[in-house]
Structures are given as structure tokens and as C-alpha cells.
Amino acid sequence: MEKEEVGRRIRFFREEKQWTQNYLATAAGVSPTYIYQIEKGQKSVTIDYLSYICSALGVSLEEFFRDMSAPAEDNIAALSDGQRQLLNAFLESMK
């Protein structure tokens, strides 16, 4: 994953919580300048610091690296017939 994409994802999760860069920096134990530089794609983040940032945001590293651009239809198409039946039964129960 390119550093620009890492920055976009950090910004996405930060804005989802309606946090400022300063607030995230304080929560993660890093400088606000570091968060700014990462979000702008100017600086690469180490896995250790990314772990601190994700922890502050309440996001697992697995969730952070999950493909956020894959549409739900693609995810459904990847299901087995049995999984689709279970999903349909669940959705029907929600009505």
C-alpha cells in the first residue's frame, strides 16, 4: 500500500470519529505534525506507529488494511451458495 493511501485511510477513520489531527496525535502519542505529514502522504509510517494510531482510533490493523473500495456486490458474489442462503435468511429476518 502506498503512503498516500495509508494517509487517506487514517484521515478517513479520523474524520469518521470527527477528530482533529491534534486530538488523534494526542490519543496516539505522536506529534500533530507527524499525523499531518502522514495524511498528506509526505511521510511513511512504521508499523509500530500505525499500530498506535489504529489503536487510538479503535481500528484493528486488519480492518485498516481491508479493501474499502470493494463494493458490497463483489463481496456477495464471492460467497458460496450456502453463505448466500444464510445471508438471505438473515436479511429476511430483519424485515
Side-chain angles (χ1 to χ4, degrees):
M1 179 179 298
E2 298 292 325
K3 62 184 175 183
E4 291 82 4
E5 179 63 18
V6 170
R8 280 191 291 273
R9 288 180 185 225
I10 289 172
R11 184 175 58 247
F12 169 81
F13 287 112
R14 178 180 60 77
E15 289 177 345
E16 191 174 56
K17 291 189 166 295
Q18 299 179 342
W19 286 3
T20 64
Q21 289 177 340
N22 286 342
Y23 190 88
L24 173 57
T26 300
V30 300
S31 76
T33 302
Y34 188 61
I35 296 294
Y36 172 83
Q37 290 173 328
I38 293 168
E39 287 189 4
K40 292 293 184 187
Q42 297 171 346
K43 194 172 254 317
S44 295
V45 63
T46 66
I47 195 69
D48 288 334
Y49 281 104
L50 182 58
S51 178
Y52 302 150
I53 292 167
C54 286
S55 179
L57 290 167
V59 175
S60 70
L61 286 172
E62 187 272 330
E63 183 179 1
F64 183 83
F65 285 108
R66 187 177 300 138
D67 184 5
M68 296 179 356
S69 65
E73 297 82 27
D74 290 348
N75 294 332
I76 292 171
L79 297 175
S80 70
D81 289 337
Q83 290 171 322
R84 269 193 231 109
Q85 289 175 352
L86 289 171
L87 176 61
N88 286 332
F90 171 74
L91 294 173
E92 284 296 318
S93 73
M94 299 297 287
K95 291 183 179 180

